[in-house]
Amino acid sequence: MRVAEYASFDAVGLAELVAKGAVTPAELEAAAREAAQAVDPRINAVVETWPADDAPTPGSTPLAGVPFLIKDIGVTMAGRRTELGSRLAAGIVADADSALMRRFRRAGLVTFGRTATPELAYSTTTEPVLYGATRNPWDPRRSAGGSSGGAGAAVAAGVVPIAHATDAAGSLRIPAACNGLFGLKPTRGRVSMGPGADEVFNGLAVQGSVSRTVRDSAALLDLISGPEPGDPYFAERPSGPYAQDVTRDPGSLRIGVLTQAWGGRRTTPAVADALSRTVALLESLGHRVTEAEVGLGAGWEEFVLANARLWTANLTASVDGLAAASGRPVDSSTLEPVTLAGYRYGQRVSGAQFVDALGIRNQVARSLARSFDAHDLLLTPTLPELPVPLGTYAEGAAALDGLGWIDRVLDRSPFTAVFNVAGTPAMSVPVTADAGTGLPIGMQFAAGYGLEDRLFRLAGQLERAAPWAERTPMVWAGHPTRG
């Protein structure tokens, strides 16, 4: 199969070809490797590839035989390196599959490499020292987002149709928005974090994917969702497959819209215009869209401080564990300045402060839940601005302490982290693009706890009304990416 043909299919479409015998998994994998070799020198999204060690049964699942990439954090694959984008973890090899990796294998996915992440997923741009910056396929001078930036860039550039991603403060939705993809952050507890952890970042982090089509993300979530023994959270199983929800009419929804975030950077005119066009599209589809007032139950500064305490305390424990495993020191030779500052800040977080931060998490979750009494869904921009130039986050970062860095990250992405704290599902949908630059603009929709089906139904409707897969940064006839 030629690369241009391979890149024109989504994951479900490729699996259907395999099931019919029109192509083999080995042929798809060869095309994916060729695509990676063609585009990765320009975007730096894939940090390592390896021979696939799976032999999926063609046609056994909706994604059997599809090439796949895992993020360099959040999942372990036996015998493969898991370096978390950090010099501290360089060369560490996993001794066992995580539960999620086992589910990827059972899904029949052909996992042949890992994608870039910022160091320890501690940013919403992917520019680690260890492997260098990941570039946006739409404009290689700009960020691909983070922390699943490698996944987002690889999917947008046609290396794979869908890739593993994680999300602790927008880390899945932000790359989806930057790269013109669909990305849904599941409900807390929908996908297990086991067996090595019961929760990550005190429940703020979840597992998911980014994809070019809605049905791909739905099909994968059907295959990987569900608890493992000992999981601390329970998300009630949906009444039917998410893949079926994509094709169903969502009905007339009450959608509350927020143009400006609770705190942080103000929404730029380009993004506000895209939001207005999205509202017009929703109304044309029969939805009732009104302005929403959504309280957090805490002030923005309290929210940032609570996140900083939770993030850095968890970061400190992770760093200490990696240092013990690698035998390396915890200093500027192994950690980037902002990570080291976060580590030191986390060392000073007291038990009482940590419990107070969990109290803020509870306040946010309770307050946000009340918003869904008046609205079926909430709508915001995913990001308040277009993808930023590479290097933007680093300006003056060396002078920041742990709190200052989290404040900067949340300032750049003030819409997304709230739904991680609350544990509710949220998705970024590339409904439209900037008229001036052609860059994609993501719109975020959030639902109440456990209501991914509602999001998939609306996403499917929006995809049919404004088919974004036709907008692509790939130009395979001699020019691997735009820019």
Side-chain angles (χ1 to χ4, degrees):
M1 173 177 276
R2 298 178 64 87
V3 172
E5 183 185 8
Y6 160 78
S8 70
F9 284 89
D10 68 355
V12 171
L14 291 174
E16 289 172 347
L17 293 178
V18 172
K20 292 186 296 186
V23 68
T24 68
E27 290 172 325
L28 295 183
E29 182 190 350
R33 291 180 184 278
E34 184 179 347
Q37 291 170 359
V39 301
D40 206 56
R42 298 203 52 198
I43 61 175
N44 194 35
V46 182
V47 299
E48 183 185 24
T49 60
W50 50 72
D53 61 354
D54 288 29
T57 302
S60 61
T61 80
L63 298 179
V66 174
F68 191 66
L69 295 167
I70 55 174
K71 186 177 176 181
D72 194 25
I73 197 169
V75 62
T76 60
M77 187 176 187
R80 303 299 183 192
R81 284 187 288 174
T82 302
E83 297 176 308
L84 296 78
S86 177
R87 292 167 292 169
L88 183 63
I92 289 180
V93 175
D95 59 4
D97 284 353
S98 61
L100 180 59
M101 190 66 232
R102 292 195 298 270
R103 293 183 184 195
F104 287 153
R105 291 185 191 275
R106 289 198 296 268
L109 294 163
V110 181
T111 303
F112 70 99
R114 55 193 172 105
T115 59
T117 179
E119 183 170 59
L120 301 175
Y122 199 57
S123 179
T124 50
T125 185
T126 304
E127 303 177 47
V129 168
L130 180 61
Y131 288 115
T134 295
R135 299 176 178 275
N136 192 314
W138 294 87
D139 181 348
R141 299 165 298 181
R142 294 179 184 260
S143 171
S147 63
S148 305
V155 172
V159 178
V160 289
I162 186 170
H164 165 242
T166 67
D167 195 316
S171 291
L172 180 163
R173 289 158 288 156
I174 292 167
C178 289
N179 294 284
L181 304 174
F182 176 78
L184 185 142
K185 177 194 85 70
T187 294
R188 181 181 295 149
R190 179 68 67 200
V191 181
S192 177
M193 289 289 187
D198 60 351
E199 61 180 10
V200 176
F201 277 31
N202 300 102
L204 273 59
V206 297
Q207 304 274 13
S209 64
V210 289
S211 62
R212 290 203 304 272
T213 66
V214 178
R215 71 175 185 171
D216 281 359
S217 286
L220 184 59
L221 190 56
D222 282 331
L223 292 167
I224 65 174
S225 63
E228 289 284 324
D231 281 356
Y233 300 108
F234 175 77
E236 186 175 357
R237 294 190 66 84
S239 58
Y242 294 125
Q244 292 181 5
D245 287 314
V246 174
T247 65
R248 291 175 176 166
D249 190 317
S252 179
L253 298 172
R254 301 168 301 158
I255 301 176
V257 61
L258 289 81
T259 303
Q260 303 295 341
W262 300 270
R265 196 165 298 269
R266 308 299 286 172
T267 301
T268 62
V271 176
D273 175 67
L275 179 62
S276 295
R277 284 183 276 140
T278 301
V279 168
L281 175 61
L282 291 166
E283 290 176 335
S284 73
L285 294 171
H287 302 296
R288 293 165 287 166
V289 185
T290 57
E291 291 187 12
E293 293 185 7
V294 182
L296 292 185
W300 181 252
E301 291 184 0
E302 286 182 287
F303 179 80
V304 172
L305 178 60
N307 274 272
R309 287 172 171 170
L310 293 175
W311 286 31
T312 60
N314 281 276
L315 174 70
T316 298
S318 296
V319 166
D320 285 340
L322 290 171
S326 67
R328 298 186 178 108
V330 179
D331 58 26
S332 59
S333 71
T334 58
L335 292 180
E336 297 169 24
V338 296
T339 315
L340 188 58
Y343 172 79
R344 291 169 175 162
Y345 187 92
Q347 288 179 311
R348 300 191 299 272
V349 174
S350 70
Q353 290 173 332
F354 190 81
V355 171
D356 285 345
L358 292 175
I360 296 296
R361 185 190 68 173
N362 179 61
Q363 290 178 35
V364 171
R366 304 293 179 179
S367 182
L368 190 65
R370 289 192 289 272
S371 299
F372 293 111
D373 292 336
H375 308 287
D376 298 314
L377 299 177
L378 295 176
L379 164 64
T380 78
T382 307
L383 289 168
E385 58 191 342
L386 298 176
V388 297
L390 290 169
T392 298
Y393 278 58
E395 295 172 0
L400 298 175
D401 66 1
L403 174 59
W405 175 249
I406 299 304
D407 182 55
R408 172 167 296 190
V409 169
L410 296 183
D411 174 67
R412 288 284 176 186
S413 51
F415 289 105
T416 53
V418 168
F419 301 105
N420 294 84
V421 173
T424 56
M427 65 182 181
S428 182
V429 184
V431 178
T432 187
D434 177 49
T437 63
L439 291 168
I441 297 176
M443 290 293 132
Q444 177 178 240
F445 295 84
Y449 196 89
L451 295 179
E452 287 95 331
D453 54 349
R454 186 173 292 172
L455 291 174
F456 276 125
R457 291 178 187 185
L458 177 63
Q461 183 187 52
L462 291 173
E463 186 177 41
R464 292 187 293 273
W468 53 77
E470 297 176 2
R471 302 194 305 267
T472 171
M474 301 174 301
V475 185
W476 282 99
H479 302 284
T481 62
R482 289 165 47 116

